[in-house]
mmCIF file of all heavy atoms in Angstrom:
data_model
loop_
_atom_site.group_PDB
_atom_site.id
_atom_site.type_symbol
_atom_site.label_atom_id
_atom_site.label_comp_id
_atom_site.label_asym_id
_atom_site.label_seq_id
_atom_site.Cartn_x
_atom_site.Cartn_y
_atom_site.Cartn_z
ATOM 1 N N ILE A 1 -5.757 8.892 -20.136
ATOM 2 C CA ILE A 1 -5.590 8.900 -18.683
ATOM 3 C C ILE A 1 -6.935 8.673 -18.018
ATOM 4 O O ILE A 1 -7.938 9.323 -18.352
ATOM 5 C CB ILE A 1 -4.982 10.243 -18.200
ATOM 6 C CG1 ILE A 1 -3.523 10.366 -18.646
ATOM 7 C CG2 ILE A 1 -5.037 10.342 -16.690
ATOM 8 C CD1 ILE A 1 -3.339 11.019 -19.962
ATOM 9 N N VAL A 2 -6.958 7.752 -17.084
ATOM 10 C CA VAL A 2 -8.158 7.470 -16.295
ATOM 11 C C VAL A 2 -7.853 7.830 -14.842
ATOM 12 O O VAL A 2 -6.877 7.349 -14.268
ATOM 13 C CB VAL A 2 -8.557 5.986 -16.410
ATOM 14 C CG1 VAL A 2 -9.748 5.683 -15.512
ATOM 15 C CG2 VAL A 2 -8.869 5.621 -17.868
ATOM 16 N N ALA A 3 -8.680 8.694 -14.265
ATOM 17 C CA ALA A 3 -8.459 9.162 -12.893
ATOM 18 C C ALA A 3 -9.682 8.847 -12.043
ATOM 19 O O ALA A 3 -10.769 9.362 -12.306
ATOM 20 C CB ALA A 3 -8.189 10.667 -12.886
ATOM 21 N N PRO A 4 -9.524 7.980 -11.037
ATOM 22 C CA PRO A 4 -10.679 7.593 -10.218
ATOM 23 C C PRO A 4 -10.931 8.544 -9.052
ATOM 24 O O PRO A 4 -10.011 9.132 -8.494
ATOM 25 C CB PRO A 4 -10.268 6.212 -9.696
ATOM 26 C CG PRO A 4 -8.773 6.282 -9.592
ATOM 27 C CD PRO A 4 -8.322 7.191 -10.711
ATOM 28 N N ASP A 5 -12.185 8.660 -8.694
ATOM 29 C CA ASP A 5 -12.589 9.406 -7.500
ATOM 30 C C ASP A 5 -12.596 8.414 -6.336
ATOM 31 O O ASP A 5 -13.637 8.090 -5.774
ATOM 32 C CB ASP A 5 -13.978 10.001 -7.724
ATOM 33 C CG ASP A 5 -14.333 11.053 -6.690
ATOM 34 O OD1 ASP A 5 -13.444 11.416 -5.887
ATOM 35 O OD2 ASP A 5 -15.489 11.510 -6.675
ATOM 36 N N TYR A 6 -11.388 7.941 -6.002
ATOM 37 C CA TYR A 6 -11.267 6.890 -4.993
ATOM 38 C C TYR A 6 -11.727 7.386 -3.613
ATOM 39 O O TYR A 6 -11.664 8.579 -3.313
ATOM 40 C CB TYR A 6 -9.836 6.354 -4.928
ATOM 41 C CG TYR A 6 -8.772 7.355 -4.525
ATOM 42 C CD1 TYR A 6 -8.533 7.670 -3.194
ATOM 43 C CD2 TYR A 6 -7.968 7.974 -5.480
ATOM 44 C CE1 TYR A 6 -7.552 8.569 -2.812
ATOM 45 C CE2 TYR A 6 -6.980 8.882 -5.115
ATOM 46 C CZ TYR A 6 -6.774 9.174 -3.782
ATOM 47 O OH TYR A 6 -5.802 10.075 -3.406
ATOM 48 N N ARG A 7 -12.173 6.465 -2.792
ATOM 49 C CA ARG A 7 -12.675 6.824 -1.458
ATOM 50 C C ARG A 7 -11.547 7.375 -0.588
ATOM 51 O O ARG A 7 -10.431 6.858 -0.592
ATOM 52 C CB ARG A 7 -13.318 5.609 -0.789
ATOM 53 C CG ARG A 7 -14.674 5.240 -1.356
ATOM 54 C CD ARG A 7 -15.188 3.929 -0.816
ATOM 55 N NE ARG A 7 -14.423 2.788 -1.355
ATOM 56 C CZ ARG A 7 -14.674 1.518 -1.052
ATOM 57 N NH1 ARG A 7 -15.638 1.225 -0.192
ATOM 58 N NH2 ARG A 7 -13.948 0.557 -1.588
ATOM 59 N N LEU A 8 -11.857 8.422 0.145
ATOM 60 C CA LEU A 8 -10.874 9.101 0.985
ATOM 61 C C LEU A 8 -10.911 8.550 2.404
ATOM 62 O O LEU A 8 -11.951 8.109 2.897
ATOM 63 C CB LEU A 8 -11.143 10.602 0.983
ATOM 64 C CG LEU A 8 -11.127 11.255 -0.412
ATOM 65 C CD1 LEU A 8 -11.578 12.709 -0.326
ATOM 66 C CD2 LEU A 8 -9.749 11.148 -1.059
ATOM 67 N N SER A 9 -9.762 8.605 3.066
ATOM 68 C CA SER A 9 -9.606 7.907 4.345
ATOM 69 C C SER A 9 -10.431 8.504 5.483
ATOM 70 O O SER A 9 -10.689 7.826 6.470
ATOM 71 C CB SER A 9 -8.123 7.889 4.741
ATOM 72 O OG SER A 9 -7.649 9.213 4.944
ATOM 73 N N VAL A 10 -10.827 9.770 5.350
ATOM 74 C CA VAL A 10 -11.619 10.388 6.422
ATOM 75 C C VAL A 10 -12.938 9.636 6.612
ATOM 76 O O VAL A 10 -13.387 9.415 7.736
ATOM 77 C CB VAL A 10 -11.884 11.871 6.096
ATOM 78 C CG1 VAL A 10 -12.813 12.477 7.131
ATOM 79 C CG2 VAL A 10 -10.579 12.648 6.062
ATOM 80 N N LYS A 11 -13.539 9.229 5.501
ATOM 81 C CA LYS A 11 -14.805 8.505 5.578
ATOM 82 C C LYS A 11 -14.618 6.998 5.416
ATOM 83 O O LYS A 11 -15.386 6.217 5.990
ATOM 84 C CB LYS A 11 -15.758 9.016 4.495
ATOM 85 C CG LYS A 11 -16.264 10.432 4.724
ATOM 86 C CD LYS A 11 -17.269 10.817 3.656
ATOM 87 C CE LYS A 11 -17.824 12.218 3.906
ATOM 88 N NZ LYS A 11 -18.791 12.621 2.838
ATOM 89 N N SER A 12 -13.629 6.607 4.625
ATOM 90 C CA SER A 12 -13.449 5.179 4.320
ATOM 91 C C SER A 12 -11.982 4.808 4.492
ATOM 92 O O SER A 12 -11.192 4.978 3.558
ATOM 93 C CB SER A 12 -13.901 4.883 2.884
ATOM 94 O OG SER A 12 -15.234 5.287 2.683
ATOM 95 N N PRO A 13 -11.597 4.333 5.671
ATOM 96 C CA PRO A 13 -10.185 4.010 5.936
ATOM 97 C C PRO A 13 -9.650 2.918 5.015
ATOM 98 O O PRO A 13 -10.409 2.207 4.339
ATOM 99 C CB PRO A 13 -10.201 3.545 7.401
ATOM 100 C CG PRO A 13 -11.455 4.102 7.979
ATOM 101 C CD PRO A 13 -12.446 4.124 6.849
ATOM 102 N N TYR A 14 -8.320 2.797 5.014
ATOM 103 C CA TYR A 14 -7.631 1.738 4.273
ATOM 104 C C TYR A 14 -8.279 0.392 4.566
ATOM 105 O O TYR A 14 -8.676 0.151 5.703
ATOM 106 C CB TYR A 14 -6.161 1.715 4.722
ATOM 107 C CG TYR A 14 -5.352 0.563 4.185
ATOM 108 C CD1 TYR A 14 -4.723 0.651 2.961
ATOM 109 C CD2 TYR A 14 -5.243 -0.625 4.913
ATOM 110 C CE1 TYR A 14 -3.993 -0.421 2.463
ATOM 111 C CE2 TYR A 14 -4.525 -1.697 4.420
ATOM 112 C CZ TYR A 14 -3.903 -1.591 3.195
ATOM 113 O OH TYR A 14 -3.197 -2.645 2.707
ATOM 114 N N PRO A 15 -8.455 -0.456 3.563
ATOM 115 C CA PRO A 15 -7.914 -0.377 2.188
ATOM 116 C C PRO A 15 -8.906 0.126 1.146
ATOM 117 O O PRO A 15 -8.773 -0.205 -0.036
ATOM 118 C CB PRO A 15 -7.554 -1.834 1.918
ATOM 119 C CG PRO A 15 -8.645 -2.600 2.612
ATOM 120 C CD PRO A 15 -8.983 -1.806 3.854
ATOM 121 N N ALA A 16 -9.903 0.924 1.537
ATOM 122 C CA ALA A 16 -10.972 1.325 0.612
ATOM 123 C C ALA A 16 -10.416 2.018 -0.631
ATOM 124 O O ALA A 16 -10.784 1.683 -1.762
ATOM 125 C CB ALA A 16 -11.960 2.232 1.329
ATOM 126 N N GLY A 17 -9.526 3.005 -0.429
ATOM 127 C CA GLY A 17 -8.977 3.736 -1.569
ATOM 128 C C GLY A 17 -8.184 2.842 -2.501
ATOM 129 O O GLY A 17 -8.302 2.928 -3.731
ATOM 130 N N LEU A 18 -7.370 1.972 -1.933
ATOM 131 C CA LEU A 18 -6.570 1.044 -2.724
ATOM 132 C C LEU A 18 -7.474 0.093 -3.512
ATOM 133 O O LEU A 18 -7.228 -0.188 -4.696
ATOM 134 C CB LEU A 18 -5.636 0.263 -1.816
ATOM 135 C CG LEU A 18 -4.775 -0.830 -2.468
ATOM 136 C CD1 LEU A 18 -3.855 -0.236 -3.521
ATOM 137 C CD2 LEU A 18 -3.971 -1.578 -1.402
ATOM 138 N N GLU A 19 -8.518 -0.397 -2.889
ATOM 139 C CA GLU A 19 -9.439 -1.309 -3.563
ATOM 140 C C GLU A 19 -10.135 -0.616 -4.729
ATOM 141 O O GLU A 19 -10.352 -1.217 -5.791
ATOM 142 C CB GLU A 19 -10.468 -1.845 -2.563
ATOM 143 C CG GLU A 19 -9.863 -2.816 -1.549
ATOM 144 C CD GLU A 19 -10.851 -3.229 -0.471
ATOM 145 O OE1 GLU A 19 -11.897 -2.551 -0.327
ATOM 146 O OE2 GLU A 19 -10.576 -4.229 0.231
ATOM 147 N N ASP A 20 -10.478 0.671 -4.549
ATOM 148 C CA ASP A 20 -11.087 1.426 -5.648
ATOM 149 C C ASP A 20 -10.132 1.520 -6.828
ATOM 150 O O ASP A 20 -10.528 1.340 -7.985
ATOM 151 C CB ASP A 20 -11.460 2.831 -5.178
ATOM 152 C CG ASP A 20 -12.732 2.858 -4.353
ATOM 153 O OD1 ASP A 20 -13.412 1.812 -4.260
ATOM 154 O OD2 ASP A 20 -13.046 3.921 -3.790
ATOM 155 N N CYS A 21 -8.875 1.826 -6.547
ATOM 156 C CA CYS A 21 -7.876 1.952 -7.611
ATOM 157 C C CYS A 21 -7.719 0.629 -8.359
ATOM 158 O O CYS A 21 -7.587 0.612 -9.590
ATOM 159 C CB CYS A 21 -6.534 2.415 -7.035
ATOM 160 S SG CYS A 21 -6.593 4.048 -6.271
ATOM 161 N N TYR A 22 -7.760 -0.469 -7.624
ATOM 162 C CA TYR A 22 -7.618 -1.779 -8.257
ATOM 163 C C TYR A 22 -8.836 -2.097 -9.121
ATOM 164 O O TYR A 22 -8.701 -2.646 -10.225
ATOM 165 C CB TYR A 22 -7.432 -2.852 -7.187
ATOM 166 C CG TYR A 22 -7.136 -4.220 -7.750
ATOM 167 C CD1 TYR A 22 -5.942 -4.465 -8.431
ATOM 168 C CD2 TYR A 22 -8.049 -5.257 -7.618
ATOM 169 C CE1 TYR A 22 -5.672 -5.718 -8.959
ATOM 170 C CE2 TYR A 22 -7.777 -6.516 -8.139
ATOM 171 C CZ TYR A 22 -6.596 -6.736 -8.810
ATOM 172 O OH TYR A 22 -6.325 -7.979 -9.345
ATOM 173 N N GLU A 23 -10.023 -1.733 -8.643
ATOM 174 C CA GLU A 23 -11.235 -1.942 -9.430
ATOM 175 C C GLU A 23 -11.140 -1.205 -10.768
ATOM 176 O O GLU A 23 -11.528 -1.735 -11.820
ATOM 177 C CB GLU A 23 -12.464 -1.447 -8.657
ATOM 178 C CG GLU A 23 -12.868 -2.300 -7.475
ATOM 179 C CD GLU A 23 -13.589 -3.581 -7.881
ATOM 180 O OE1 GLU A 23 -13.946 -3.721 -9.065
ATOM 181 O OE2 GLU A 23 -13.780 -4.438 -7.005
ATOM 182 N N VAL A 24 -10.621 0.015 -10.725
ATOM 183 C CA VAL A 24 -10.521 0.815 -11.953
ATOM 184 C C VAL A 24 -9.454 0.243 -12.877
ATOM 185 O O VAL A 24 -9.616 0.237 -14.104
ATOM 186 C CB VAL A 24 -10.236 2.292 -11.616
ATOM 187 C CG1 VAL A 24 -10.079 3.120 -12.894
ATOM 188 C CG2 VAL A 24 -11.362 2.869 -10.765
ATOM 189 N N LEU A 25 -8.368 -0.259 -12.316
ATOM 190 C CA LEU A 25 -7.329 -0.886 -13.142
ATOM 191 C C LEU A 25 -7.907 -2.088 -13.898
ATOM 192 O O LEU A 25 -7.677 -2.239 -15.112
ATOM 193 C CB LEU A 25 -6.160 -1.328 -12.270
ATOM 194 C CG LEU A 25 -5.008 -2.015 -13.012
ATOM 195 C CD1 LEU A 25 -4.232 -1.009 -13.854
ATOM 196 C CD2 LEU A 25 -4.067 -2.716 -12.025
ATOM 197 N N LEU A 26 -8.669 -2.922 -13.211
ATOM 198 C CA LEU A 26 -9.289 -4.074 -13.870
ATOM 199 C C LEU A 26 -10.307 -3.618 -14.906
ATOM 200 O O LEU A 26 -10.428 -4.224 -15.979
ATOM 201 C CB LEU A 26 -9.962 -4.977 -12.833
ATOM 202 C CG LEU A 26 -9.042 -5.703 -11.846
ATOM 203 C CD1 LEU A 26 -9.874 -6.599 -10.930
ATOM 204 C CD2 LEU A 26 -7.981 -6.533 -12.564
ATOM 205 N N TRP A 27 -11.034 -2.546 -14.596
ATOM 206 C CA TRP A 27 -11.994 -1.999 -15.560
ATOM 207 C C TRP A 27 -11.276 -1.534 -16.812
ATOM 208 O O TRP A 27 -11.750 -1.763 -17.939
ATOM 209 C CB TRP A 27 -12.764 -0.851 -14.905
ATOM 210 C CG TRP A 27 -13.774 -0.212 -15.809
ATOM 211 C CD1 TRP A 27 -15.054 -0.617 -16.020
ATOM 212 C CD2 TRP A 27 -13.579 0.948 -16.631
ATOM 213 N NE1 TRP A 27 -15.676 0.212 -16.918
ATOM 214 C CE2 TRP A 27 -14.793 1.182 -17.304
ATOM 215 C CE3 TRP A 27 -12.504 1.808 -16.843
ATOM 216 C CZ2 TRP A 27 -14.965 2.247 -18.198
ATOM 217 C CZ3 TRP A 27 -12.657 2.862 -17.734
ATOM 218 C CH2 TRP A 27 -13.877 3.085 -18.399
ATOM 219 N N MET A 28 -10.128 -0.888 -16.653
ATOM 220 C CA MET A 28 -9.341 -0.452 -17.811
ATOM 221 C C MET A 28 -8.911 -1.650 -18.655
ATOM 222 O O MET A 28 -8.993 -1.620 -19.890
ATOM 223 C CB MET A 28 -8.107 0.331 -17.353
ATOM 224 C CG MET A 28 -8.412 1.703 -16.788
ATOM 225 S SD MET A 28 -6.927 2.504 -16.111
ATOM 226 C CE MET A 28 -5.928 2.737 -17.601
ATOM 227 N N LYS A 29 -8.461 -2.694 -17.992
ATOM 228 C CA LYS A 29 -8.027 -3.889 -18.713
ATOM 229 C C LYS A 29 -9.188 -4.509 -19.485
ATOM 230 O O LYS A 29 -9.046 -4.872 -20.661
ATOM 231 C CB LYS A 29 -7.452 -4.907 -17.724
ATOM 232 C CG LYS A 29 -7.043 -6.223 -18.377
ATOM 233 C CD LYS A 29 -6.663 -7.269 -17.349
ATOM 234 C CE LYS A 29 -6.399 -8.618 -18.015
ATOM 235 N NZ LYS A 29 -6.105 -9.680 -17.030
#
């Protein structure tokens, strides 16, 4: 299991968190 410390919306609004998750998915691949 890989769990990212994705950016939270209070400091970094959408799509920052989603982009972080995608970066980690590609890193896993």
Side-chain angles (χ1 to χ4, degrees):
I1 291 91
V2 176
D5 194 7
Y6 62 82
R7 286 172 289 181
L8 302 173
S9 63
V10 175
K11 291 184 178 179
S12 304
Y14 172 87
L18 176 61
E19 290 174 344
D20 282 352
C21 297
Y22 186 66
E23 288 283 350
V24 178
L25 179 71
L26 293 182
W27 180 86
M28 289 174 66
K29 177 188 174 183

